């Protein structure tokens, strides 16, 4: 397939927007808060609640995958360091 025959599809690159609670360059707390807020939202409203998706997109953009994997494992094992049921 030559370069002329390749079909290019538009790609929308989405990152977390500005959050006044986290004005500095280090976004670790922003990552953590969006992860926690997502699971609180899902537990309260369900996965189909559209505003929960914003928290999901934000933490997926900000958090390194190994952190997410570790937090998911901690949630499954019941030793996650934050309360997600309220």
């Amino acid at each position: 397939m030559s370069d002329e025959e390749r079909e290019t599809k538009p790609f929308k690159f989405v990152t977390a927007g500005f959050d006044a609670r986290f004005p500095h360059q280090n976004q670790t707390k922003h990552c953590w808060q969006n992860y926690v807020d997502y699971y609180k939202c899902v537990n309260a409203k369900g996965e189909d609640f559209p505003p929960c998706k914003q928290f999901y997109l934000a933490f997926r953009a900000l958090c390194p995958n190994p952190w997410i994997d570790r937090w998911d494992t901690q949630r499954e094992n019941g030793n996650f360091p934050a309360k997600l049921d309220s």
Side-chain angles (χ1 to χ4, degrees):
M1 181 180 260
S2 71
D3 288 335
E4 295 171 5
E5 296 173 354
R6 287 189 182 167
E7 179 183 343
T8 58
K9 296 180 181 179
F11 176 76
K12 184 178 179 188
F13 187 72
V14 180
T15 61
F18 177 74
D19 188 334
R21 299 175 298 170
F22 309 101
H24 304 293
Q25 185 174 0
N26 185 342
Q27 293 294 298
T28 303
K29 290 179 183 176
H30 193 185
C31 154
W32 168 261
Q33 192 61 55
N34 278 286
Y35 183 89
V36 170
D37 287 345
Y38 172 71
Y39 284 102
K40 282 184 177 184
C41 183
V42 166
N43 289 338
K45 301 289 186 176
E47 281 188 46
D48 296 331
F49 190 60
C52 294
K53 181 109 173 143
Q54 181 59 38
F55 295 126
Y56 176 81
L57 294 173
F59 89 74
R60 292 299 299 178
L62 293 168
C63 302
N65 288 334
W67 292 8
I68 296 170
D69 294 341
R70 183 177 62 212
W71 295 337
D72 288 345
T73 302
Q74 288 175 338
R75 279 188 313 102
E76 291 166 5
N77 294 336
N79 60 353
F80 188 69
K83 194 173 181 184
L84 299 176
D85 56 357
S86 57

